[in-house]
Amino acid sequence: RLTDVTGVQTCALPILTHSRFGIDLDGFRRGAVRRGTEPRLRIGFIGSLARWKGAHVLVDAVRRLPPAIDVDVQIFGDPGVYPDYANGLVERAAGDARIRFCGSFPNSRIGEVLSTFDVFVVPSLWYENTPLVIYSSQAAGCPVLASDLGGMSEVIREGLDGLLFPPGDSMALAAHLERLWHDRDLVAVLADNAPSPKSIAVYVDELTIA
């Protein structure tokens, strides 16, 4: 409580500072890969193979694409954590050769893995507190397509460095993917505009100052 000049006690309002997470920037080669130049549009997913992470939304979106839309979808995640869901994803893909299930990888390789994508998809169905993998994708200069929900929509500038779609809407996601397949210049623009996230050191300094 504070006391003003009249002697009346008042409540002090808290000072809130919005500080986004910092990440380990080692291993990222921003600008080393030119996105959207391959004949196939390379699409990635990295995350838990759990329903709330929405990998099935991506699978359904790809299945909606005409066969002539040539994409390569790499889905990374440990199938052993939620095996029923993971097995359901494989069945949902229905043998579509455009969809590959790639298992998991050490976190130290995330920059390398992200360098193999033209776009990165975060189709979560719940209010994420800004998945760190979005910051990793931005550090790699990889455009993000994400659910228009929670912390995800706070860090993606629609049409500038990424695209948003309604949560769970595979049709809207499919439309984005088809648009990017046709418009490779847009892929390059989104990649060039990807913001550079802060380092862990900068983040720690901000917390210390606060």
Side-chain angles (χ1 to χ4, degrees), residues 7 22 24-25 36 45 52 58-59 66 82 114 118 167 171 175 177-178:
D24 183 355
L25 296 177
F45 170 94
W52 53 87
L58 174 58
V59 170
Y82 298 99
L114 284 165
D118 293 311
M171 185 176 296
L177 296 176
E178 186 166 356

Side-chain angles (χ1 to χ4, degrees), residues 114-153:
L114 284 165
S115 71
T116 67
F117 305 153
D118 293 311
V119 296
F120 181 67
V121 180
V122 185
S124 298
L125 302 178
W126 66 357
Y127 286 89
E128 296 270 11
N129 185 21
T130 314
L132 292 179
V133 72
I134 290 182
Y135 292 125
S136 295
S137 187
Q138 291 175 335
C142 185
V144 179
L145 279 60
S147 301
D148 189 2
L149 191 68
M152 295 171 289
S153 61

Side-chain angles (χ1 to χ4, degrees), residues 173-184:
L173 175 55
H176 281 330
L177 296 176
E178 186 166 356
R179 176 188 177 190
L180 293 174
W181 187 82
H182 285 290
D183 190 352
R184 300 307 178 87

Side-chain angles (χ1 to χ4, degrees), residues 8-207:
V8 176
Q9 286 191 336
T10 60
C11 291
L13 294 176
I15 298 175
L16 301 179
T17 301
H18 183 193
S19 178
R20 291 177 177 171
F21 293 123
I23 64 169
D24 183 355
L25 296 177
D26 290 341
F28 292 98
R29 298 183 300 151
R30 185 185 179 94
V33 178
R34 191 65 180 169
R35 315 278 174 180
T37 58
E38 299 291 329
R40 310 184 84 185
L41 184 70
R42 303 169 301 168
I43 303 163
F45 170 94
I46 300 172
S48 299
L49 297 185
R51 181 168 182 79
W52 53 87
K53 287 291 188 179
H56 63 281
V57 179
L58 174 58
V59 170
D60 290 349
V62 175
R63 296 285 293 156
R64 288 181 178 276
L65 295 175
I69 301 298
D70 191 12
V71 297
D72 176 33
V73 181
Q74 299 178 59
I75 296 178
F76 287 90
D78 185 350
V81 180
Y82 298 99
D84 290 343
Y85 179 78
N87 291 335
L89 282 177
V90 175
E91 294 175 4
R92 208 165 186 136
D96 192 323
R98 298 175 295 182
I99 303 172
R100 295 190 284 150
F101 296 93
C102 305
S104 57
F105 61 87
N107 190 61
S108 60
R109 289 189 56 223
I110 192 166
E112 173 191 343
V113 172
L114 284 165
S115 71
T116 67
F117 305 153
D118 293 311
V119 296
F120 181 67
V121 180
V122 185
S124 298
L125 302 178
W126 66 357
Y127 286 89
E128 296 270 11
N129 185 21
T130 314
L132 292 179
V133 72
I134 290 182
Y135 292 125
S136 295
S137 187
Q138 291 175 335
C142 185
V144 179
L145 279 60
S147 301
D148 189 2
L149 191 68
M152 295 171 289
S153 61
E154 292 181 6
V155 294
I156 296 170
R157 298 170 294 176
E158 170 68 23
L160 183 62
D161 54 49
L163 299 172
L164 299 170
F165 56 91
D169 192 338
S170 61
M171 185 176 296
L173 175 55
H176 281 330
L177 296 176
E178 186 166 356
R179 176 188 177 190
L180 293 174
W181 187 82
H182 285 290
D183 190 352
R184 300 307 178 87
D185 289 340
L186 178 57
V187 175
V189 168
L190 296 177
D192 289 343
N193 288 335
S196 298
K198 70 182 70 168
S199 67
I200 290 178
V202 171
Y203 181 55
V204 170
D205 287 343
E206 288 179 353
L207 295 178

